[in-house]
Amino acid sequence: MPTRTRRRDTPPPKTGSSETEVLRGFLDYLRASIAAKVDGAPEPQVRTAAVPSGTNLLGLLNHLTFVERAIFLGDEVADWQATFQAASADSVADVVARYRETVERANEVLDGCIDLAAPVLRPRPGRPAPSVRWALTHTIEETGRHAGHADILRELIDGATGR
């Protein structure tokens, strides 16, 4: 059984009162939480499946990178299932850095979106884009769901708990 280490729990974010500030505040909170959960996780356990579905900690963050790129940057994803595995040449630091860079780029797109009902401004001409509200809500849901998985997987790996 892994030695238990507990990180300080981070309380929910303090945000402004507008819908946009609340949605973006919670999304950034979840993004930071899952990146921190993966950052520093040991090899090879970080990419070893701990459950029958094959889900692994590094794969979750790799998948969320593709989610952010598809929703906010307009990237096409041919095989969503394949996004749950990081390349064997990628280190934990590589995957975390790529996720954080993608989040920065997604936030740049969101900074240009002032109407939650308007489509996301993204470079994908001729293709419909979801509304900013839908994109934020879906990304919060997707990130929150996988952050919960990551909490359990990280605890199984080395006992680390907390947000």
Side-chain angles (χ1 to χ4, degrees), residues 108-122:
E108 289 170 5
V109 170
L110 285 168
D111 289 345
C113 298
I114 55 172
D115 179 2
L116 290 174
V120 173
L121 303 172
R122 62 185 190 185

Side-chain angles (χ1 to χ4, degrees), residues 50-120:
V51 292
S53 68
T55 303
N56 66 80
L57 188 58
L58 196 60
L60 287 175
L61 194 62
N62 192 66
H63 170 71
L64 287 173
T65 302
F66 280 90
V67 168
E68 295 262 356
R69 292 185 60 82
I71 292 173
F72 297 115
L73 306 177
D75 285 8
E76 293 276 345
V77 177
D79 182 359
W80 279 104
Q81 195 58 40
T83 68
F84 282 97
Q85 298 296 321
S88 59
D90 285 341
S91 69
V92 173
D94 293 336
V95 174
V96 171
R98 191 166 36 252
Y99 177 71
R100 288 182 171 143
E101 179 206 345
T102 299
V103 165
E104 284 180 34
R105 290 184 57 211
N107 278 339
E108 289 170 5
V109 170
L110 285 168
D111 289 345
C113 298
I114 55 172
D115 179 2
L116 290 174
V120 173

Side-chain angles (χ1 to χ4, degrees), residues 17-74:
S17 60
S18 77
E19 184 179 7
T20 299
E21 291 169 319
V22 170
L23 291 171
R24 289 197 60 186
F26 272 87
L27 178 55
D28 283 339
Y29 168 74
L30 288 168
R31 287 164 160 169
S33 295
I34 194 160
K37 189 62 67 170
V38 176
D39 200 14
E43 291 277 5
Q45 297 92 330
V46 71
R47 59 181 81 238
T48 302
V51 292
S53 68
T55 303
N56 66 80
L57 188 58
L58 196 60
L60 287 175
L61 194 62
N62 192 66
H63 170 71
L64 287 173
T65 302
F66 280 90
V67 168
E68 295 262 356
R69 292 185 60 82
I71 292 173
F72 297 115
L73 306 177

